[in-house]
């Protein structure tokens, strides 16, 4: 009987991950193709900046409400509804452009709709995973999921380039429609256990306030999210400024920029794979997360003082491995520590952290790179990260709260 149960959850997980992978791949292909299309058609930095804003800000805003909905309604239906609406919005845009109507505002509107729906989908996916996967396997599954996502970041640009170059942007939109429909059909095959709430929902606003109070009152959850926020903010700009440092310090050869992107992407894949294999053996997860965070700070400083291109590239690869060593345990801890009825709201707030930290980092550190040497900005970001970590760990409350997470997992 136990073997049949084991095979059942593994089969359901395989179908679920397959559907999410197909759907995410289509979204990634569209993201790259739209960026290139706007670059080719407008050549405007302002337009590209606006595209980033409409592609990220709606998700950050809607994630708050998406988390509430994920705790009030069927998470499976929310994911299906979001994917289906994305497919419809993309199909409408494709048909309009096919008929010769393709104003810039239409593309921005479609991107904003897709971003907002991702704010609904993200909390639902993270909150639903523990309903499919036994608790003891969450770390491994999160590692596998991160590996797949990172692997698609290597694969999607090549597919997007090939399709966009040969057939144009409309064909890319049709591919996304097909992948979204495929994701929905696969998810329909996955049975999901009923969510159990210990209290009856009051109102959307009441549930939102309850989520805020929960995060505020749960010190362990609050400090785990705070740790991720600090690292993503302080390391976000260095991650995006590496191409600029290469062109200024090592040369403007295209192969160097390609190697840099390859090393960072491979680092994310390796980090996810390592966590999938070795992560379940780690009992002191917070200690691992803190160690990874310190390592990121040291290596960001290392980026700034690197005099050799290959040392610089390897440092970037290791930083990405450490990113995964932080993010995979963080997601797992939140899935394990947060009760099922509150998990959607917590991951809604977590989604805001993940989607806002890096853009804010670029707003703060990016202009500095135009006034000072990029190397100095890298060193500054790394030192500030280490200082913030030291300040956080110097607080007795933070240390006790984080230690509680490890004590619970042991």
């Amino acid at each position: 009987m136990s073997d049949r149960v084991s095979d059942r959850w593994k089969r359901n997980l395989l179908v679920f991950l397959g559907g999410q992978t197909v759907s995410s791949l289509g979204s990634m292909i569209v993201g790259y193709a739209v960026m290139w299309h706007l670059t080719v058609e407008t050549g405007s930095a302002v337009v590209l900046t606006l595209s980033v804003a409409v592609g990220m800000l709606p998700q950050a805003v809607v994630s708050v409400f998406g988390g509430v909905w994920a705790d009030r309604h069927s998470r499976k239906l929310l994911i299906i509804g979001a994917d289906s609406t994305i497919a419809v919005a993309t199909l409408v845009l494709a048909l309009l452009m096919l008929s010769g109507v393709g104003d810039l505002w239409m593309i921005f509107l479609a991107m904003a709709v897709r971003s907002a729906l991702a704010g609904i989908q993200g909390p639902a996916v993270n909150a639903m995973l523990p309903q499919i996967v036994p608790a003891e396997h969450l770390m491994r599954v999160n590692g596998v999921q991160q590996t797949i996502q990172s692997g698609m970041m290597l694969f999607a640009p090549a597919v997007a380039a090939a399709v966009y170059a040969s057939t144009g942007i409309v064909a890319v939109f049709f591919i996304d429609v097909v992948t979204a429909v495929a994701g929905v059909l696969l998810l329909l095959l996955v049975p999901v256990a009923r969510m159990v709430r210990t209290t009856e929902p009051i109102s959307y606003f009441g549930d939102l306030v309850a989520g805020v109070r929960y995060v505020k009152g749960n010190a362990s959850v609050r400090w785990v999210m705070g740790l991720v926020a600090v690292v993503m903010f302080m390391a976000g700009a260095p991650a995006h400024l590496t191409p600029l440092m290469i062109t200024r310090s090592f040369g403007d050869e295209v192969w160097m920029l390609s190697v840099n992107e390859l090393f960072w992407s491979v680092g994310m894949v390796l980090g996810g794979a390592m966590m999938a294999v070795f992560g379940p053996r780690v009992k002191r997860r917070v200690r691992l997360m803190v160690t990874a965070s310190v390592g990121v700070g040291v290596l960001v400083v290392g980026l700034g003082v690197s005099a050799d291109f290959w040392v610089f590239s390897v440092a970037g690869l290791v930083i990405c491995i450490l990113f995964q060593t932080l993010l995979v345990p963080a997601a797992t801890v939140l899935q394990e520590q947060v009760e099922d009825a509150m998990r959607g709201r917590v991951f809604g707030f977590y989604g805001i952290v993940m989607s806002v930290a890096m853009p804010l980092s670029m707003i703060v550190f990016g202009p500095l790179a135009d006034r000072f040497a990029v190397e100095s900005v890298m060193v500054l970001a790394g030192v500030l990260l280490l200082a913030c970590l030291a300040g956080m760990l110097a607080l007795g409350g933070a240390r006790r709260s984080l230690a509680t997470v490890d004590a619970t997992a042991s």
Side-chain angles (χ1 to χ4, degrees), residues 56 59-60 63 122 126 146 224-233 236 240 268 323-324 326-328 330-331 334 346-361:
M56 298 190 74
Q59 180 176 352
S63 286
N126 282 300
Q146 285 294 321
V224 166
M225 293 175 64
L227 179 64
V228 172
V230 167
V231 175
M232 299 303 288
F233 176 76
H240 286 88
M268 295 296 287
F323 272 156
Q324 297 286 47
L326 166 68
L327 297 178
V328 172
L334 294 179
V346 170
F347 273 103
F349 297 130
Y350 187 68
I352 295 174
V353 170
M354 296 299 293
S355 58
V356 170
M358 281 201 173
L360 281 180
S361 180

Side-chain angles (χ1 to χ4, degrees), residues 234-235 237-238 297 300-305 364-366 368-369 372-388:
M234 292 300 179
V300 168
V301 174
L303 290 176
V305 300
V364 173
F365 291 102
L368 293 177
F372 306 99
V374 184
E375 291 88 343
S376 300
V377 176
M378 299 275 192
V379 172
L380 174 64
V383 170
L384 287 176
L385 173 53
L386 294 172
C388 288

Side-chain angles (χ1 to χ4, degrees), residues 55-143:
M56 298 190 74
L57 291 180
Q59 180 176 352
V61 173
V62 174
S63 286
V64 179
F65 306 99
V68 175
W69 296 328
D71 288 336
R72 293 175 65 96
H73 308 293
S74 166
R75 291 158 182 167
K76 175 179 174 178
L77 293 181
L78 283 173
I79 298 169
I80 290 174
D83 260 343
S84 300
T85 309
I86 287 173
V88 171
T90 306
L91 179 61
V92 169
L93 179 60
L95 293 175
L96 286 172
M97 295 187 72
L98 199 61
S99 65
V101 181
D103 294 340
L104 198 59
W105 69 267
M106 292 182 180
I107 297 177
F108 281 168
L109 178 61
M111 292 174 66
V113 169
R114 293 170 61 90
S115 177
L117 292 167
I120 298 174
Q121 190 177 36
V125 169
N126 282 300
M128 193 179 83
L129 204 57
Q131 295 176 264
I132 302 174
V133 180
E136 64 271 22
H137 296 291
L138 278 172
M139 179 78 84
R140 190 183 306 279
V141 171
N142 281 319

Side-chain angles (χ1 to χ4, degrees), residues 10-314:
K10 290 178 181 177
R11 183 169 56 251
N12 292 337
L13 175 65
L14 184 62
V15 174
F16 173 72
L17 289 181
Q20 290 302 298
T21 299
V22 170
S23 178
S24 296
L25 179 60
S27 296
M28 285 187 183
I29 291 172
V30 165
Y32 285 112
V34 167
M35 179 179 65
W36 297 332
H37 178 73
L38 294 176
T39 301
V40 170
E41 294 297 319
T42 70
S44 169
V46 173
V47 168
L48 291 179
T49 301
L50 287 174
S51 71
V52 172
V54 300
M56 298 190 74
L57 291 180
Q59 180 176 352
V61 173
V62 174
S63 286
V64 179
F65 306 99
V68 175
W69 296 328
D71 288 336
R72 293 175 65 96
H73 308 293
S74 166
R75 291 158 182 167
K76 175 179 174 178
L77 293 181
L78 283 173
I79 298 169
I80 290 174
D83 260 343
S84 300
T85 309
I86 287 173
V88 171
T90 306
L91 179 61
V92 169
L93 179 60
L95 293 175
L96 286 172
M97 295 187 72
L98 199 61
S99 65
V101 181
D103 294 340
L104 198 59
W105 69 267
M106 292 182 180
I107 297 177
F108 281 168
L109 178 61
M111 292 174 66
V113 169
R114 293 170 61 90
S115 177
L117 292 167
I120 298 174
Q121 190 177 36
V125 169
N126 282 300
M128 193 179 83
L129 204 57
Q131 295 176 264
I132 302 174
V133 180
E136 64 271 22
H137 296 291
L138 278 172
M139 179 78 84
R140 190 183 306 279
V141 171
N142 281 319
V144 169
Q145 191 176 37
Q146 285 294 321
T147 303
I148 293 172
Q149 290 290 321
S150 302
M152 286 193 294
M153 291 175 65
L154 285 170
F155 181 63
V159 176
V163 176
Y164 180 64
S166 59
T167 58
I169 190 68
V170 174
V172 175
F173 289 147
F174 281 122
I175 289 176
D176 186 50
V177 172
V178 172
T179 57
V181 171
V184 168
L185 293 177
L186 287 172
L187 184 54
L188 286 171
L189 302 176
V190 180
V192 180
R194 180 182 295 273
M195 180 179 57
V196 178
R197 287 191 64 133
T198 55
T199 58
E200 288 298 317
I202 306 170
S203 65
Y204 282 104
F205 182 73
D207 275 357
L208 178 59
V209 171
V212 173
R213 288 175 178 167
Y214 180 86
V215 173
K216 184 179 179 181
N218 191 316
S220 299
V221 170
R222 188 173 68 248
W223 283 111
V224 166
M225 293 175 64
L227 179 64
V228 172
V230 167
V231 175
M232 299 303 288
F233 176 76
M234 292 300 179
H240 286 88
L241 291 174
T242 52
L244 185 60
M245 180 172 167
I246 289 173
T247 56
R248 290 183 182 179
S249 303
F250 301 117
D252 58 359
E253 289 89 345
V254 174
W255 71 266
M256 286 188 175
L257 298 174
S258 300
V259 166
N260 177 64
E261 293 297 328
L262 179 65
F263 272 47
W264 282 73
S265 298
V266 168
M268 295 296 287
V269 173
L270 289 176
M274 289 171 61
M275 291 310 302
V277 175
F278 302 110
R281 305 178 190 178
V282 178
K283 299 302 180 184
R284 297 186 177 276
R285 292 168 181 172
V286 169
R287 184 172 295 182
L288 176 65
M289 292 162 57
V290 170
T291 302
S293 302
V294 172
V296 170
V298 171
L299 286 172
V300 168
V301 174
L303 290 176
V305 300
S306 296
D308 180 82
F309 171 74
W310 292 107
V311 172
F312 179 87
S313 299
V314 171

